Amino acid sequence: MKPPHHNTQINGVGNCKGNFSHPHGDWNAFLFQRRHLFIWFLAALIPFAVVRSYFSHSPAVYQVETSHEEASVQTPDERSTPVPILNSTRDSWVGHNSSAISQDGDCDLSTGDWIPDPSGPFYTNVTCRAIQEHQNCMKHGRPDTDYLHWRWRPRSCELPRFNASSFLELMRGKILAFVGDSIGRNHMQSLVCLLSQVDDARDIYKDETDKFRRWLFPSYNFTLAVLWSPFLVKEMTKKIEGSASEQLHLYLDIADKKWTSQLHEFDIVLLSGGQWFLKAAIYLEKDEVIGCHYCPGTNFTQLGFYFAYRKALRLAFKSINTSPDYKGLTFLRTFTPDHFENGRWDNGGTCERTVPYKNNEIVMEGMNTEMYKIQLEEFEKAAKDGAARGLKFRLIDTTWASLLRPDGHPGPYRYSHPFAKDKNAKVQNDCLHWCLPGPIDAWNEFLLEMLKRESM
């Protein structure tokens, strides 16, 4: 087959013709043509390079959809409709709120990446006795360990690894109280484990439900308390008339005295929560029903759980700000996403991922976004009110760091060796709480860093 004859014409350069496949052509003319062609090619690339450089330095707006369901404990009919908001909007909230929560020059701990960390955890299920069974992933036979080898690195600074001696020295003679739900207790147990590697904690109080507990670190006279209050306000469960079923009632104008009555004892209070507000409930103020969340068969106004959470959080902050005897430092740890995929907690949802998400692999949207937004808005109001009264409020923003860790949950290993008898067994997963040791140990690195800032 005869080789093809190539005629090349370049607009804007001239009419250059040459038989590039012919061995007897004018070689100098050929080189002249190639030189002009190359110069034109470089000139043509300049506009594209400029455009690409501009966009490569612009903030990214991630639009990757996630496959997990945000509301893991309710059916779709029980949820309020969320407004999806992408990471760029979340970043604007953090920036807008930062002046109220940090000193000038402080690094924003809330945005960053999980990077490999070969050093591993500070403790194991053998060296810490405070791990609750459902979060004891090592003991229960979780086969992978890669989830233990990541460290949170903020974008613009270094977050030091946890130093138990430094933490205990800062807390010498003080009482720190965690107020919230089971994730708050999960967080507290992580801190007990971290500190116990330096000073053996003594379990000095535990109620009959194991929901109110105190640990003493005797060498530092430091007490760590956990108080169960998933709604932060008064709650009652009442039987539905004519039925054996019970209905949750939340009194949105009455703070839960189980924690507010102890405020005067504490030097530091760390509030958290939000997940329990997804439960169906009747809402009351002044002992009168004002509405509900998921109350079919009634004529109550459907207010939704966002309404109730905002009211409860606002009242909790008000209780702190108006307490005559509390002069302490108040932290709010932000909302914790779950990572259920292919269903909810009660209908087969799982969390089988074994590595963290990268920043461009997921967005924060739906319920996570709405709850987070409520927290930031109510926190900022409370911080201003508190400052006028001489009280300090600080935000521990762990939401984004937590969202990136679908690999850190017990999953099926909330149970001991769930696949020992049947590798295909159907097991209810826990994709909300966290393995200990695990990613939430980093929450205490956030806490320590913020305490160090307060001591400066």
Side-chain angles (χ1 to χ4, degrees):
M1 180 180 293
K2 187 177 179 179
H5 183 80
H6 298 282
N7 287 326
T8 306
Q9 182 173 348
I10 311 296
N11 293 332
V13 176
N15 200 14
C16 302
K17 295 182 180 179
N19 186 350
F20 298 141
S21 64
H22 199 285
H24 303 295
D26 186 338
W27 181 251
N28 289 331
F30 168 70
L31 290 177
F32 178 80
Q33 296 161 7
R34 289 292 295 272
R35 191 179 301 115
H36 276 267
L37 183 63
F38 181 69
I39 292 171
W40 179 90
F41 179 73
L42 287 177
L45 282 179
I46 291 173
F48 293 101
V50 171
V51 172
R52 184 181 186 278
S53 175
Y54 174 80
F55 282 105
S56 68
H57 291 85
S58 299
V61 179
Y62 302 125
Q63 301 189 39
V64 182
E65 293 185 359
T66 61
S67 58
H68 70 276
E69 291 191 17
E70 302 291 352
S72 57
V73 296
Q74 296 276 288
T75 61
D77 290 340
E78 296 173 78
R79 297 186 54 191
S80 301
T81 303
V83 180
I85 300 181
L86 303 182
N87 300 354
S88 58
T89 307
R90 173 203 167 273
D91 289 343
S92 71
W93 287 335
V94 173
H96 177 64
N97 195 51
S98 61
S99 62
I101 64 173
S102 62
Q103 302 165 2
D104 291 342
D106 285 344
C107 170
D108 177 11
L109 303 177
S110 67
T111 57
D113 303 275
W114 289 97
I115 61 172
D117 180 15
S119 60
F122 287 97
Y123 63 92
T124 69
N125 62 310
V126 174
T127 62
C128 181
R129 67 180 189 276
I131 302 174
Q132 195 168 7
E133 283 296 301
H134 288 168
Q135 285 96 55
N136 202 334
C137 303
M138 288 180 170
K139 179 181 176 181
H140 285 180
R142 178 169 171 169
D144 63 305
T145 58
D146 288 350
Y147 70 98
L148 298 171
H149 295 277
W150 297 89
R151 179 171 63 86
W152 179 250
R153 182 177 66 187
R155 288 178 187 170
S156 56
C157 64
E158 283 294 322
L159 177 63
R161 296 206 74 196
F162 190 82
N163 186 309
S165 296
S166 295
F167 191 100
L168 287 166
E169 195 58 54
L170 284 171
M171 294 294 99
R172 185 180 291 276
K174 293 181 170 59
I175 302 178
L176 164 60
F178 286 76
V179 179
D181 56 21
S182 55
I183 302 176
R185 182 174 60 204
N186 203 179
H187 184 186
M188 182 276 297
Q189 289 165 342
S190 163
L191 184 56
V192 171
C193 289
L194 288 165
L195 298 178
S196 293
Q197 308 311 300
V198 169
D199 192 21
D200 192 26
R202 287 166 43 192
D203 195 350
I204 59 173
Y205 173 78
K206 179 171 65 174
D207 76 338
E208 62 277 4
T209 66
D210 198 23
K211 292 180 177 178
F212 294 82
R213 199 163 184 174
R214 296 197 182 199
W215 300 79
L216 174 67
F217 294 85
S219 299
Y220 296 84
N221 191 29
F222 167 55
T223 301
L224 193 55
V226 62
L227 293 85
W228 177 261
S229 186
F231 300 106
L232 302 175
V233 297
K234 178 182 175 180
E235 61 170 291
M236 291 186 68
T237 302
K238 298 182 179 181
K239 283 193 175 183
I240 301 174
E241 189 174 344
S243 170
S245 302
E246 294 183 327
Q247 184 74 59
L248 175 66
H249 287 61
L250 296 182
Y251 295 79
L252 300 180
D253 58 344
I254 304 176
D256 182 2
K257 291 183 179 180
K258 292 192 295 292
W259 70 273
T260 58
S261 64
Q262 301 182 55
L263 267 176
H264 64 282
E265 298 181 39
F266 306 138
D267 300 285
I268 301 170
V269 171
L270 196 158
L271 297 175
S272 63
Q275 293 282 355
W276 278 63
F277 284 84
L278 276 69
K279 294 174 70 68
I282 304 295
Y283 303 142
L284 301 94
E285 288 184 343
K286 298 180 180 178
D287 283 328
E288 296 290 335
V289 174
I290 61 170
C292 68
H293 169 56
Y294 192 68
C295 49
T298 72
N299 60 356
F300 299 145
T301 303
Q302 174 68 260
L303 295 174
F305 61 87
Y306 296 141
F307 170 87
Y309 182 55
R310 185 183 293 277
K311 282 268 193 176
L313 188 58
R314 183 178 299 172
L315 182 61
F317 285 142
K318 181 180 179 182
S319 299
I320 289 172
N321 270 327
T322 58
S323 173
D325 300 315
Y326 176 70
K327 307 299 180 185
L329 171 63
T330 303
F331 287 104
L332 172 68
R333 182 178 50 73
T334 56
F335 191 71
T336 307
D338 66 58
H339 291 96
F340 286 95
E341 297 186 78
N342 305 312
R344 303 181 304 274
W345 70 275
D346 58 347
N347 69 352
T350 59
C351 40
E352 298 177 347
R353 298 179 188 268
T354 57
V355 294
Y357 286 121
K358 296 178 181 177
N359 274 287
N360 62 348
E361 292 178 332
I362 192 170
V363 297
M364 189 169 78
E365 58 185 357
M367 186 188 75
N368 292 331
T369 296
E370 290 300 311
M371 297 295 273
Y372 179 79
K373 182 180 178 182
I374 289 168
Q375 288 180 326
L376 294 192
E377 291 171 351
E378 295 304 319
F379 172 85
E380 189 159 350
K381 295 173 188 174
K384 289 179 180 178
D385 291 343
R389 294 174 168 85
L391 295 176
K392 291 183 179 180
F393 285 75
R394 299 292 182 262
L395 191 74
I396 305 178
D397 191 342
T398 58
T399 298
W400 184 246
S402 304
L403 184 66
L404 296 179
R405 293 306 305 270
D407 56 321
H409 302 286
Y413 297 97
R414 69 191 302 266
Y415 302 105
S416 179
H417 299 84
F419 304 112
K421 296 181 180 179
D422 180 0
K423 64 179 182 180
N424 297 314
K426 300 295 182 183
V427 181
Q428 188 182 59
N429 280 228
D430 182 353
C431 307
L432 175 61
H433 300 93
W434 301 86
C435 291
L436 292 180
I440 67 167
D441 292 327
W443 294 359
N444 288 309
E445 292 177 342
F446 281 54
L447 176 58
L448 174 56
E449 179 64 19
M450 297 190 75
L451 287 169
K452 283 159 54 176
R453 293 176 185 179
E454 293 303 316
S455 67
M456 292 176 182

